[in-house]
Amino acid sequence: MERVSIDEQRCKSCGLCISVCPVKILIISDRLNARGFRPAQCTDQDKCTSCGSCALVCPDVAIELYREVKA
Amino acid sequence: MAEQMKVIYERPKSWANKVTHYCPGCTHGVAHRLIAELVDEMGLMDKTIGVWPVGCSVLGYDYFNFDSVEAAHGRAPAMATGIKVTNPDNFVFAYQGDGDLASIGMAEIVHAAARGWPITVIFINNGNYGMTGGQMAPTTLLGQKTTTSPLGRTPQTNGFPIRVAEMLAQLDGPAYIARVSLDSPVNIRKAKSAMRKAFNAQVRGIGFSLVECLSTCPTNWRLTPVESMERVRKEVMPYFPLGEFKVVEGVL
Amino acid sequence: MSNKVLMKGAEALAEGAIQAGCRYYFGYPITPQNETPEYMSRRLPEVGGRFVQAESEVASINMVYGAACTGVRTMTSSSSPGISLMQEGISYISGSNVPCVVMNAMRGGPGLGNIAPAQGDYFQAVKGGGNGDYRRIVLAPSSIQEGVDLFVDAFELADKYRMVVMVIIDGLIGQMMEPVEFKTKVDVSTLKTPEWATVGRHGRDHANIITSLTLDAPGLEQWNLKLQAKYAQVELTESRIEEYQMDDADYAIIAYGTMARIAKTTVRIARAKGIKLGLLRPITVWPFPRKQIQAYVGKLKGTLTVELAYRQLFEDVQLTLCDKMPLGWYGRGGGIVPGPQEILTAFEEQFGKGR
Ligand SMILES: Cc1ncc(C[n+]2csc(CCOP(=O)(O)OP(=O)(O)O)c2C)c(N)n1
Ligand code: SF4
Ligand code: SF4
Ligand code: SF4
Ligand SMILES: [Mg+2]
């Protein structure tokens, strides 16, 4: 399941999340959203450390973060 | 054992789930998000009344699920005062830009701070008048080019930038005054904890609080969002140092 | 036994506002109405209200704006230069459909002028001042008692129409002493918080937003049309006039406020001389009592508009009566108040001996 969930319709392609991700798993995709922005995308969900940095800098509240835990 | 997903970060409940009108990478959005997070975490949504300024954040009220009013340019602290006086048990904050607060609204903010009544101000220092197209603001740095200081701000023609947090901290009224920066995850974390203290200063009835947020305006700075964050660190912070300038007893 | 008390105008009107349910007053000192904020600062805490001395009239009106957004009865008062500073706020309050009361003790102008009685702010009060297409109800008492009574109406009208209501007086009414009776006492505990008020959601299923901003042009036009419909309703139902000695009148003086008070004496002197003069005294100068004045077309040989200003009220009289009868005018400015005989002389100069 997704650890990094990016709402593509909210994303404005600002690149801030990409610049702060310590494990460099975020990139700008080559798709266009309804507003004409190329949304950010996560290339490797498994590598996400759940550090929270991307969500902290996102000005558009586009990113939600999850992590698996043993129930 | 089954695996479950634990939430690390979720959109705040008081955030109205709309796409904002802000330019890509503009830190108005970050400041908004922090407000929504704190309103949620502190259980304030039912008691909150936001007062929005004239500036890029003029439509701020559209993005939250709590009550809001829209003030005239610079008058948000007066309006917030009128609301707080009639509704002392509610949580009343004003959100203001640097043209709004430090230029046209300087009298209102100084007197709100001097009265010291428990209202909270989130002050967005982005070094220019974003909404009207990037003109010089009271916070524009010396040498900085804007559309009304095309050769760069000089003291001879434009005077000096104003350090609002330090200035207001000289007054006896405020309970909490801090300057934070929205340029990086670590500073955004610190910004949130300063804002929490500011909110608390009001919730606990201690007094006036203000958090000045060093912000970006990528569009008018003519920089990318990432470059704008770097500019805040390299050029803005040396003139506008981060820190807490006033913390009275009981603020936490 | 009468319940009359002898009070100075500016204080009596403040008490009138409190009796009308005003609990929140914001203001900045300016002569000739300082007794109003001073009185409020003493009295409001006694009745569980709040007085706030603002840093300027700009701040006063915006504090009123904030308080008004929470649905309480709130007011400010000032005099001409201070009222000028409030125009932006009055426009915003009007544009966001919230109620409040503003009192202007008009003084001589333009600029700093002087502190003597004048009516030079008529245009500002009834026609404009702030930006945009808005109106406010303007009440013009001519005695302290009437002012006290009108304050109850002022707050009722403000709440009913969600409008700014202005009460215009001048230094004369503010500074003189008269016996007054407070006939109506509004029990504020019976005033309900309106459903539109921004007082925190407290379980409400939606957020309340109060703004004068509508970015899209069709949306703002619709908003304006709503305001216009409201103003049309006010014009239809709320205009008021006093008709004094008008039953058999050949001529009428048209005047309001202090000037009308003096003109009543003119009417009495004229009648003693056999001139059938009456007085038409607008109590609301907006809405202007057009219909009531137009009813005299065909009955009157002429009107003399008298004011402490230069052809401001006269403009509304002209709009009302056009060329339907001879329209005379007499006015003094700068704080000079003409006496009853001076007005009669002006009348005789313009209309002969009134036959
Ligand atoms: C009385 C008045 N004067 C001028 C303006 C035009 N105006 C709109 S926004 C603005 C500047 C806003 O700048 P700032 O407060 O720094 O906010 P930002 O857009 O940078 O967030 C100005 C001058 C106005 N709306 N009202
Ligand atoms: S949570 Fe941290 S590691 Fe995961 S995507 Fe965001 S920035 Fe990268
Ligand atoms: S920070 Fe937010 S808006 Fe910017 S690129 Fe990343 S997800 Fe998109
Ligand atoms: S103009 Fe500047 S301050 Fe305004 S939304 Fe765009 S980037 Fe932000
Ligand atoms: Mg700015």
Side-chain angles (χ1 to χ4, degrees):
Chain A
M1 231 192 109
E2 273 194 338
R3 290 180 177 180
V4 189
S5 156
I6 300 175
D7 183 336
E8 299 204 341
Q9 295 310 324
R10 284 167 190 287
C11 175
K12 292 181 187 153
S13 196
C14 72
L16 289 174
C17 53
I18 297 167
S19 75
V20 299
C21 176
V23 291
K24 305 283 171 219
I25 52 173
L26 301 176
I27 58 162
I28 295 289
S29 69
D30 46 20
R31 296 181 296 282
L32 285 180
N33 70 14
R35 281 159 212 274
F37 292 115
R38 293 184 194 286
Q41 117 182 27
C42 178
T43 53
D44 192 346
Q45 295 280 349
D46 292 341
K47 276 201 189 144
C48 173
T49 64
S50 303
C51 72
S53 292
C54 53
L56 265 172
V57 295
C58 178
D60 285 283
V61 207
I63 304 177
E64 294 189 307
L65 299 170
Y66 304 93
R67 185 153 191 95
E68 316 79 358
V69 284
K70 300 264 183 276
Chain B
M1 247 195 265
E3 284 205 331
Q4 281 189 349
M5 293 306 268
K6 180 181 151 213
V7 174
I8 305 289
Y9 184 79
E10 243 182 4
R11 225 157 269 134
K13 299 273 176 295
S14 54
W15 183 249
N17 250 352
K18 290 183 191 158
V19 177
T20 69
H21 66 288
Y22 298 113
C23 307
C26 171
T27 45
H28 268 304
V30 176
H32 282 29
R33 203 194 61 230
L34 296 182
I35 290 171
E37 289 174 15
L38 286 168
V39 164
D40 276 18
E41 289 164 27
M42 297 173 69
L44 294 172
M45 182 147 93
D46 260 2
K47 302 169 60 161
T48 296
I49 302 154
V51 184
W52 297 92
V54 175
C56 277
S57 47
V58 69
L59 286 170
Y61 51 74
D62 265 349
Y63 305 132
F64 297 87
N65 289 323
F66 45 71
D67 283 4
S68 280
V69 300
E70 164 56 33
H73 196 19
R75 317 301 173 211
M79 217 176 161
T81 298
I83 295 172
K84 188 70 180 179
V85 160
T86 63
N87 279 267
D89 297 332
N90 278 330
F91 177 74
V92 183
F93 76 87
Y95 186 102
Q96 298 189 264
D98 38 11
D100 194 78
L101 180 145
S103 194
I104 195 167
M106 190 57 113
E108 284 76 9
I109 192 64
V110 168
H111 287 275
R115 274 187 293 270
W117 296 349
I119 57 175
T120 303
V121 178
I122 303 302
F123 168 43
I124 304 298
N125 174 348
N126 62 8
N128 71 30
Y129 286 45
M131 188 191 211
T132 41
Q135 296 84 1
M136 187 183 68
T139 46
T140 296
L141 296 176
L142 292 178
Q144 186 180 335
K145 287 182 181 161
T146 70
T147 55
T148 50
S149 56
L151 302 176
R153 180 176 191 158
T154 66
Q156 292 76 22
T157 45
N158 312 114
F160 291 89
I162 299 173
R163 294 186 184 92
V164 169
E166 288 87 334
M167 189 184 81
L168 295 180
Q170 300 305 307
L171 297 167
D172 292 334
Y176 184 75
I177 305 268
R179 182 182 294 113
V180 300
S181 169
L182 305 177
D183 68 286
S184 60
V186 55
N187 279 336
I188 293 171
R189 274 205 182 88
K190 287 185 189 159
K192 186 171 172 183
S193 67
M195 282 164 66
R196 188 190 304 277
K197 286 188 191 174
F199 280 31
N200 253 321
Q202 175 174 180
V203 170
R204 296 162 63 102
I206 301 170
F208 177 89
S209 53
L210 177 142
V211 178
E212 174 172 346
C213 304
L214 298 185
S215 256
T216 63
C217 177
T219 300
N220 290 304
W221 292 3
R222 294 178 171 71
L223 297 173
T224 66
V226 174
E227 290 165 351
S228 298
M229 298 299 211
E230 277 157 18
R231 175 174 182 268
V232 170
R233 290 186 285 270
K234 284 210 188 95
E235 295 176 29
V236 185
M237 275 187 212
Y239 197 90
F240 291 107
L242 307 187
E244 295 182 321
F245 298 94
K246 178 121 195 224
V247 191
V248 306
E249 218 184 294
V251 173
L252 38 102
Chain C
M1 204 189 78
S2 129
N3 293 317
K4 286 195 170 166
V5 281
L6 190 66
M7 282 180 89
K8 200 176 200 177
E11 295 192 337
L13 294 174
E15 182 62 31
I18 292 171
Q19 298 291 342
C22 176
R23 288 294 178 274
Y24 299 95
Y25 174 96
F26 306 86
Y28 185 84
I30 185 168
T31 312
Q33 57 82 59
N34 291 317
E35 295 83 352
T36 302
E38 286 165 3
Y39 186 87
M40 289 293 194
S41 73
R42 295 196 296 276
R43 267 291 277 157
L44 277 173
E46 292 174 6
V47 294
R50 283 288 295 271
F51 162 87
V52 179
Q53 179 162 329
E55 55 272 26
S56 69
E57 291 85 352
V58 173
S60 311
I61 193 68
N62 285 287
M63 290 177 184
V64 166
Y65 187 11
C69 288
T70 68
V72 299
R73 293 198 164 170
T74 180
M75 72 170 287
T76 183
S77 64
S78 185
S79 177
S80 311
I83 298 290
S84 294
L85 280 185
M86 293 185 189
Q87 294 304 321
E88 178 197 40
I90 291 173
S91 166
Y92 273 69
I93 294 170
S94 304
S96 21
N97 242 359
V98 294
C100 74
V101 174
V102 177
M103 181 168 85
N104 181 4
M106 296 186 285
R107 57 187 248 182
L112 202 46
N114 62 24
I115 58 169
Q119 297 179 327
D121 303 350
Y122 182 89
F123 280 161
Q124 187 195 55
V126 308
K127 310 267 177 185
N131 56 297
D133 267 303
Y134 72 96
R135 298 285 182 174
R136 55 236 129 328
I137 295 171
V138 186
L139 305 174
S142 73
S143 70
I144 300 176
Q145 182 66 57
E146 186 185 25
V148 164
D149 297 342
L150 281 180
F151 253 104
V152 177
D153 300 342
F155 280 101
E156 298 286 341
L157 289 167
D159 281 352
K160 180 173 175 192
Y161 293 105
R162 294 167 66 177
M163 277 178 78
V164 177
V165 176
M166 264 191 122
V167 178
I168 52 173
I169 60 163
D170 55 54
L172 216 72
I173 293 177
Q175 297 306 308
M176 69 190 176
M177 306 267 291
E178 263 179 4
V180 282
E181 188 183 349
F182 298 96
K183 298 168 200 157
T184 311
K185 187 179 159 86
V186 173
D187 176 1
V188 287
S189 69
T190 64
L191 299 174
K192 281 211 217 68
T193 301
E195 89 288 345
W196 49 260
T198 48
V199 289
R201 282 178 61 170
H202 299 290
R204 199 189 321 111
D205 65 2
H206 62 279
N208 280 345
I209 290 164
I210 294 177
T211 178
S212 62
L213 177 78
T214 311
L215 280 174
D216 72 302
L220 187 55
E221 186 182 44
Q222 284 310 311
W223 180 243
N224 266 284
L225 290 174
K226 266 193 195 152
L227 293 178
Q228 291 302 316
K230 172 169 84 176
Y231 301 151
Q233 181 61 35
V234 173
E235 284 198 88
L236 203 65
T237 52
E238 305 297 350
S239 69
R240 298 188 203 180
I241 193 167
E242 184 196 2
E243 294 158 82
Y244 177 72
Q245 307 244 0
M246 287 302 296
D247 286 347
D248 60 344
D250 289 331
Y251 295 89
I253 290 177
I254 302 180
Y256 71 93
T258 287
M259 201 62 263
R261 191 182 169 109
I262 294 164
K264 273 192 183 170
T265 310
T266 307
V267 168
R268 287 193 288 268
I269 305 172
R271 285 197 169 252
K273 291 172 76 174
I275 305 169
K276 287 186 179 168
L277 186 60
L279 170 72
L280 292 170
R281 177 175 75 88
I283 297 168
T284 55
V285 282
W286 198 90
F288 196 72
R290 269 186 206 199
K291 289 262 147 44
Q292 297 93 316
I293 293 176
Q294 281 165 348
Y296 288 96
V297 170
K299 295 181 192 159
L300 290 178
K301 296 178 191 166
T303 64
L304 179 74
T305 300
V306 187
E307 55 186 318
L308 303 176
Y310 295 96
R311 295 182 181 80
Q312 297 197 29
L313 172 65
F314 188 53
E315 212 170 273
D316 273 336
V317 173
Q318 286 177 311
L319 285 168
T320 301
L321 295 173
C322 305
D323 54 359
K324 299 281 194 276
M325 65 181 73
L327 303 179
W329 174 84
Y330 187 69
R332 298 292 301 268
I336 301 292
V337 181
Q341 186 55 54
E342 184 179 339
I343 297 170
L344 185 59
T345 306
F347 174 81
E348 289 176 337
E349 273 168 23
Q350 296 181 43
F351 290 103
K353 294 290 169 198
R355 302 255 167 202

